[in-house]
Amino acid sequence: DAKTTQPNSMESNEEEPVHLPCNHSTISGTDYIHWYRQLPSQGPEYVIHGLTSNVNNRMASLAIAEDRKSSTLILHRATLRDAAVYYCILRMYGGATNKLIFGTGTLLAVQP
Amino acid sequence: GAGVSQTPSNKVTEKGKYVELRCDPISGHTALYWYRQSLGQGPEFLIYFQGTGAADDSGLPNDRFFAVRPEGSVSTLKIQRTERGDSAVYLCASSSGGAGGNEQFFGPGTRLTVL
């Protein structure tokens, strides 16, 4: 399974944009890029996913590099509730299994 | 609607005992996953069901771990002869299909402590 690399931690101020980077240089053509986040004492929560094009939803935006070797999760206005561990995960389409392989993620701290 | 639920929320047991952890997925979701999460780590995949059958059990650490989903809905993770190293949060997730683009919905987890 292809691996992802993320910074261990990042800090942001409330109401400012946050850009969370992820490197995945060994991504294959059939890998989707998924982002999940985990708030303290909760199960992970889906944020967004994409394949090639940039994606937007109510929670965030996902910017995917043209060569797909990296991506960035963008939170447009961070709130205190966005403080969580953010996981960037590659997930193969159409494989026999659809497991998520989590790394250690990026711990995002949001300052008031 | 109701999300994924897991019972019990906490389980304390003694080394060598048998435990069962239950997962109720979102109604209609055909895919169900078990993960476990140790302190400071990301969740680790254990097993994936598509309907009643285990499509991928490659993450089960050894034969003390077993999971069933007899009617394609509720699933039970069973751990025999528990060891202290089994202490972790056990997470269940479900999704509406198995394709790579489908999001997984996670339950709150069961915190297992083996004394």
Side-chain angles (χ1 to χ4, degrees):
Chain A
D1 295 294
K3 269 195 76 171
T4 63
T5 305
Q6 300 177 252
N8 287 334
S9 62
M10 291 183 65
E11 269 194 21
S12 174
N13 293 318
E14 203 176 4
E15 298 191 6
E16 289 186 357
V18 182
H19 290 233
L20 296 162
C22 180
N23 286 319
H24 28 79
S25 58
T26 58
I27 191 171
S28 75
T30 53
D31 284 335
Y32 280 82
I33 301 160
H34 283 244
W35 285 81
Y36 281 75
R37 72 179 185 181
Q38 188 170 23
L39 279 65
S41 302
Q42 294 187 28
E45 171 189 34
Y46 168 84
V47 178
I48 199 167
H49 77 275
L51 187 61
T52 56
S53 304
N54 294 345
V55 184
N56 300 294
N57 67 20
R58 62 174 180 81
M59 288 181 73
S61 295
L62 177 60
I64 301 173
E66 199 169 327
D67 63 4
R68 301 210 325 130
K69 292 183 187 297
S70 65
S71 60
T72 303
L73 179 70
I74 303 164
L75 307 179
H76 295 286
R77 287 182 71 215
T79 69
L80 297 178
R81 199 193 165 278
D82 292 323
V85 178
Y86 286 78
Y87 297 99
C88 170
I89 300 164
L90 299 184
R91 192 167 174 211
M92 189 173 73
Y93 176 83
T97 183
N98 295 285
K99 60 190 176 188
L100 296 172
I101 300 179
F102 291 82
T104 51
T106 296
L107 176 62
L108 176 65
V110 180
Q111 306 299 331
Chain B
V4 177
S5 63
Q6 294 185 245
T7 53
S9 54
N10 279 285
K11 176 71 178 178
V12 180
T13 190
E14 293 179 343
K15 181 174 177 294
K17 299 287 190 185
Y18 168 83
V19 296
E20 289 190 352
L21 311 179
R22 176 186 168 109
C23 172
D24 280 82
I26 292 172
S27 178
H29 278 190
T30 58
L32 185 145
Y33 310 79
W34 284 99
Y35 297 82
R36 74 174 174 181
Q37 186 170 26
S38 301
L39 199 60
Q41 303 296 314
E44 172 193 21
F45 169 79
L46 295 177
I47 187 169
Y48 154 57
F49 287 90
Q50 185 60 250
T52 60
D56 182 355
D57 64 357
S58 62
L60 295 178
N62 51 60
D63 61 7
R64 295 187 298 106
F65 288 76
F66 189 71
V68 295
R69 194 185 185 201
E71 297 176 359
S73 177
V74 170
S75 176
T76 305
L77 179 67
K78 308 180 182 199
I79 310 174
Q80 297 178 319
R81 305 183 303 279
T82 52
E83 299 178 357
R84 293 198 179 89
D86 298 335
S87 296
V89 175
Y90 288 79
L91 294 161
C92 177
S94 70
S95 70
S96 60
N102 288 51
E103 66 177 282
Q104 294 183 17
F105 296 83
F106 283 80
T110 293
R111 181 175 297 279
L112 175 67
T113 303
V114 182
L115 301 176

